[in-house]
Amino acid sequence: SMNQFTDSSLDLVLQHLVQLPNLQVLDLSENALSSKCGQPFAKFIAAAKPLKSLSISNNNELGDESACQIMDALGHHMNIESFSANHIGIGSASNGSIGSLLRTTRSLKTFNIERNFLSSDTADIVVQALISNESITEVQLLEKTPIGPLCEMLSKNRTITSLNLSQCYFENEDYDLLSTALTANHSLKKLVTPKWLNDTGAETLRNSLNGHPSITHIVWKDSYADFEFLATMKSVEFDTLKVEEEDVSRFESVVNRVSDLECISFGSVRISDAAGFATLLKRSKRLSQITINDMRLEPPLLEEVLQAIPLASGLKSLDLSGAYMDKSARVFFESLRDSTSLRLSSLNLRDCRISHEGLEPLIQWLDQDDQTLSTLNLSQNSILANGLRMFCAMLGRNRSLRHLNLHSNSVIFEYITRHVQGREAIEELIRTDSTLAQTLTDLEFSVSSSSSSVSGESSQLVYDATAESLTETSKRICVSVLDELAAALSVNRALRVLILSRNGLGDNCAKALAPCLSRNQWLRKLDLSCNAICDDGATHLAMGLAQNIELESLDLSANHLTRKGGDAFATIRMNGQCFVRLHNNEVFQQDIEASKAAQAQAVADRARMQDVNQARTGFGTQGHTISGRALKVVNHCACAVCHALKSQPTPQPGMYN
């Protein structure tokens, strides 16, 4: 995807891809494919027998003719299971091929043609074809889908298990038809409700879904009375959960009926009844997965909810990304540490405003002998160097953690100082990390010394001096912390994935981890992208990688590597099969510059040749030019003429013309 293939290059790529004996998934989305690529695609599909998934989405110049050729070929393919063609510029001219594909396919399970110029006729054709289709299991219907045929399809189809109605528009009288169709359908398991629900529609849907024999997963796209479904569903996803003051009693009555809920997911939570929400988590004995993105609650309510989460004894996966915890993080981590029944396997705390100051109870929880957590995401927080040091001590002992993500945590302060504006911000930064403050004290660097009342250029000089001292200090801290990290990884046999990207670690990180790579034979993926690593650091990593036979992926993208750093990996003899990512570096910059220089030289040579031409022959005075090849031909002819003239006893007048 995203490679801007031309027609000729796409044809060549497809010719090579068809030779892969096990190719099952092909994604060519966002490639500016033209209307001429239909025939090469059709040949490829006919020959690529193992292909199961094809995506050509976001190629809005593809058009009807090429799309029809592709869909006609897919209709005869025996193994294709997924076809995505969003935003490819097709209209009603593709109706015949769409209907034919859905009627003839025996393997296609997922079919997506959103964001095209399709009419209600197309939507009708899709629905009519689905009545007899026996392979499609997942459907997202178009915006102009007619309700009558849709309800008929729901009543007769027995293979669709997931139905997305989010784009469909219903009138009041249409909800009764939909309710009857849902009652008659016993194969549907997941339903995504329409985005635009009025009171009548919400009430009708709620009545038809309560006690439904097969639907156990509901995605409620509207916020009206959505929490009613908690009482009967196994899995519920809400775009937004809103419990206003007047809804508290009704919310709590629903909570008291909850029995089978296993998975609950919220796009965002806006509730005034934290006690009721806490009760929901306590009562949900089967609840194994909670996702609450973008939780914005006042500290008292937030802490009450966070303390209730560990009480869901069956919980295995918890996603609280985007929840602004701030100082409430310590309260949450303490409740995790003190829980005796919680057995989490996955915890996502991305962008939760967690600082190193609240990490101590989390580290204590991770240090427990019976710990079961295998995946921890703490990306986009502010644990800083002190927080990483706390993790180092834990990693040396932990035996459960397999995947640790510390992306963008500003581990080294040099990275922060590039974005810090003003002396006050630097001083605040120093105050947030006790390790940095102590180190600065050891270096006799006083914060108060930079806080004297100065203005203008003097103030800027003080700021620059502070930033420079802070940068040097942060480098010393970073070296110390990275040495501890390398020591911990050398003895850790559990961790498989470590992500340290966008932390400004620099060459110090590479030098510290290089010896560890030769000793640690359990790590499978190491991400050091966007860390200002240069050629020197890459050379050390390459030497360490040469002794590692188990590492599968090393990501060094978006660093400061040049050809020298790239050659370090090209020249070593690896014992394993590690894939090294080097994109967004300057590894090929020398080649690019040499190519530009050669191109410029060629232009200059051509201009010089034209000038010589014009001076010798007068040719080009009217704007004409002569190429180098043509000039050689002219010179050859001139030599032949001169030779002929020499053999003439008397030159004839006008011969030179």
Side-chain angles (χ1 to χ4, degrees):
S1 60
M2 299 176 65
N3 271 299
Q4 303 295 315
F5 285 127
T6 61
D7 293 329
S8 58
S9 61
L10 175 67
D11 194 11
L12 185 61
V13 167
L14 292 178
Q15 289 178 29
H16 284 278
L17 287 177
V18 78
Q19 300 176 27
L20 297 177
N22 300 312
L23 181 65
Q24 296 184 6
V25 180
L26 176 60
D27 186 351
L28 284 167
S29 57
E30 297 188 57
N31 262 303
L33 302 182
S34 75
S35 57
K36 299 179 181 179
C37 69
Q39 194 62 34
F41 253 119
K43 292 180 181 179
F44 165 77
I45 292 170
K49 303 298 183 183
L51 190 66
K52 292 185 177 181
S53 176
L54 174 64
S55 175
I56 55 173
S57 295
N58 297 322
N59 289 288
N60 59 338
E61 300 294 331
L62 195 66
D64 291 297
E65 183 179 355
S66 290
C68 288
Q69 292 174 325
I70 293 171
M71 286 188 282
D72 291 342
L74 288 174
H76 298 91
H77 199 283
M78 302 300 294
N79 295 314
I80 194 72
E81 296 180 357
S82 176
F83 177 54
S84 180
N86 299 327
H87 192 41
I88 61 171
I90 59 175
S92 299
S94 300
N95 286 357
S97 295
I98 293 173
S100 176
L101 172 60
L102 292 177
R103 285 190 298 270
T104 58
T105 183
R106 293 293 179 267
S107 60
L108 195 63
K109 296 180 180 180
T110 304
F111 179 64
N112 203 333
I113 52 172
E114 289 184 279
R115 296 170 58 208
N116 284 295
F117 308 110
L118 302 174
S119 63
S120 57
D121 292 338
T122 310
D124 190 22
I125 289 173
V126 170
V127 172
Q128 294 292 347
L130 289 174
I131 293 177
S132 58
N133 184 282
E134 297 180 353
S135 64
I136 296 288
T137 60
E138 183 178 341
V139 176
Q140 178 158 344
L141 293 177
L142 302 173
E143 183 177 353
K144 300 176 182 179
T145 299
I147 304 304
L150 162 63
C151 294
E152 181 186 358
M153 182 270 293
L154 270 179
S155 302
K156 296 180 178 180
N157 187 283
R158 294 293 177 265
T159 59
I160 294 177
T161 58
S162 176
L163 180 63
N164 190 331
L165 302 176
S166 62
Q167 300 297 322
C168 299
Y169 180 78
F170 289 78
E171 299 288 353
N172 284 343
E173 59 271 17
D174 295 332
Y175 287 106
D176 291 332
L177 292 174
L178 179 61
S179 177
T180 303
L182 289 174
T183 303
N185 187 300
H186 292 174
S187 62
L188 198 62
K189 295 181 180 180
K190 178 180 178 180
L191 177 66
V192 182
T193 65
K195 284 183 179 179
W196 305 279
L197 272 178
N198 55 23
D199 294 356
T200 303
E203 185 70 24
T204 305
L205 270 181
R206 187 164 57 249
N207 292 336
S208 61
L209 291 173
N210 281 338
H212 195 280
S214 64
I215 297 179
T216 57
H217 186 171
I218 185 76
V219 180
W220 195 259
K221 305 297 286 188
D222 188 85
S223 61
Y224 175 80
D226 44 45
F227 44 82
E228 292 284 347
F229 295 104
L230 293 172
T232 57
M233 294 292 164
K234 289 185 178 179
S235 177
V236 184
E237 295 181 34
F238 301 133
D239 273 7
T240 302
L241 178 65
K242 292 183 179 179
V243 183
E244 307 294 351
E245 293 289 349
E246 59 270 18
D247 297 325
V248 168
S249 59
R250 189 156 52 90
F251 179 62
E252 292 183 350
S253 68
V254 172
V255 166
N256 290 327
R257 302 198 306 271
V258 171
S259 58
D260 297 328
L261 194 63
E262 297 177 359
C263 173
I264 188 169
S265 175
F266 303 112
S268 61
V269 175
R270 305 288 187 275
I271 59 177
S272 58
D273 183 25
F277 191 72
T279 303
L280 167 67
L281 299 177
K282 295 175 187 176
R283 288 184 57 83
S284 305
K285 300 300 182 184
R286 298 184 181 182
L287 194 62
S288 61
Q289 180 177 343
I290 298 177
T291 300
I292 309 177
N293 296 328
D294 187 31
M295 183 161 57
R296 302 289 188 271
L297 301 177
E298 294 299 320
L301 294 177
L302 177 62
E303 291 182 6
E304 191 169 355
V305 170
L306 292 175
Q307 286 177 307
I309 289 175
L311 299 178
S313 56
L315 194 61
K316 301 298 182 185
S317 176
L318 177 60
D319 184 347
L320 297 176
S321 55
Y324 287 175
M325 296 186 183
D326 296 312
K327 294 183 179 180
S328 299
R330 173 175 283 275
V331 175
F332 173 57
F333 294 149
E334 288 175 348
S335 61
L336 288 178
R337 180 195 62 192
D338 299 338
S339 174
T340 58
S341 57
L342 188 65
R343 293 293 180 266
L344 270 180
S345 60
S346 176
L347 179 59
N348 186 350
L349 299 175
R350 177 186 58 81
D351 190 22
C352 286
R353 291 186 176 179
I354 297 172
S355 67
H356 72 280
E357 294 177 336
L359 283 180
E360 185 177 355
L362 174 65
I363 299 298
Q364 293 173 353
W365 175 61
L366 292 172
D367 243 348
Q368 293 176 356
D369 294 335
D370 57 349
Q371 183 55 250
T372 59
L373 190 73
S374 60
T375 301
L376 176 60
N377 186 348
L378 276 172
S379 61
Q380 298 181 40
N381 286 289
S382 301
I383 69 169
L384 307 182
N386 202 19
L388 182 59
R389 175 174 276 119
M390 297 167 70
F391 270 99
C392 294
M394 178 273 299
L395 285 175
R397 301 183 294 269
N398 184 279
R399 294 295 177 266
S400 69
L401 208 57
R402 296 288 187 272
H403 189 295
L404 178 59
N405 188 344
L406 298 176
H407 163 79
S408 189
N409 265 284
S410 301
V411 170
I412 184 168
F413 294 96
E414 178 186 9
Y415 184 76
I416 302 178
T417 55
R418 299 175 187 173
H419 309 285
V420 170
Q421 299 297 324
R423 189 177 64 254
E424 294 79 6
I426 286 186
E427 294 168 4
E428 177 62 27
L429 181 63
I430 295 171
R431 285 194 289 270
T432 61
D433 192 284
S434 57
T435 302
L436 178 60
Q438 182 59 47
T439 307
L440 291 175
T441 302
D442 295 342
L443 294 174
E444 297 182 354
F445 178 81
S446 173
V447 176
S448 58
S449 66
S450 64
S451 303
S452 56
S453 56
V454 291
S455 60
E457 295 182 1
S458 299
S459 176
Q460 183 62 37
L461 290 174
V462 172
Y463 166 73
D464 291 342
T466 306
E468 183 179 355
S469 302
L470 182 60
T471 299
E472 292 302 318
T473 303
S474 64
K475 288 181 179 179
R476 300 187 188 186
I477 295 175
C478 187
V479 171
S480 172
V481 173
L482 290 172
D483 287 341
E484 294 181 26
L485 176 62
L489 291 176
S490 296
V491 298
N492 185 296
R493 299 189 175 189
L495 199 64
R496 297 294 181 266
V497 178
L498 177 60
I499 300 176
L500 292 170
S501 55
R502 203 163 181 253
N503 279 302
L505 299 175
D507 282 343
N508 292 325
C509 172
K511 294 176 181 178
L513 295 181
C516 167
L517 285 179
S518 60
R519 293 192 294 268
N520 186 309
Q521 300 296 324
W522 297 274
L523 198 64
R524 298 293 180 267
K525 177 181 177 181
L526 178 60
D527 188 345
L528 299 175
S529 60
C530 198
N531 267 303
I533 296 174
C534 299
D535 294 333
D536 191 25
T539 303
H540 283 80
L541 287 172
M543 294 172 61
L545 195 59
Q547 306 300 321
N548 191 301
I549 62 174
E550 299 295 339
L551 193 68
E552 298 172 358
S553 174
L554 174 62
D555 194 341
L556 289 173
S557 55
N559 280 290
H560 299 161
L561 306 187
T562 65
R563 170 56 68 85
K564 180 181 178 182
D567 287 346
F569 291 98
T571 54
I572 65 169
R573 181 174 180 177
M574 297 187 189
N575 293 317
Q577 298 291 329
C578 184
F579 176 60
V580 183
R581 296 177 61 88
L582 297 174
H583 74 279
N584 286 351
N585 277 286
E586 299 179 355
V587 173
F588 302 106
Q589 190 63 33
Q590 294 177 2
D591 295 327
I592 294 173
E593 291 175 356
S595 176
K596 289 181 178 179
Q599 186 178 6
Q601 185 62 42
V603 172
D605 289 344
R606 186 168 184 269
R608 181 177 55 80
M609 188 174 294
Q610 290 174 355
D611 293 341
V612 172
N613 246 357
Q614 186 173 334
R616 291 178 56 187
T617 66
F619 190 74
T621 55
Q622 302 301 321
H624 301 293
T625 57
I626 186 168
S627 68
R629 184 177 178 185
L631 184 62
K632 290 181 180 179
V633 174
V634 170
N635 288 337
H636 178 73
C637 293
C639 290
V641 170
C642 291
H643 181 72
L645 286 175
K646 287 180 181 179
S647 63
Q648 293 290 332
T650 306
Q652 300 298 316
M655 185 173 286
Y656 284 100
N657 292 338

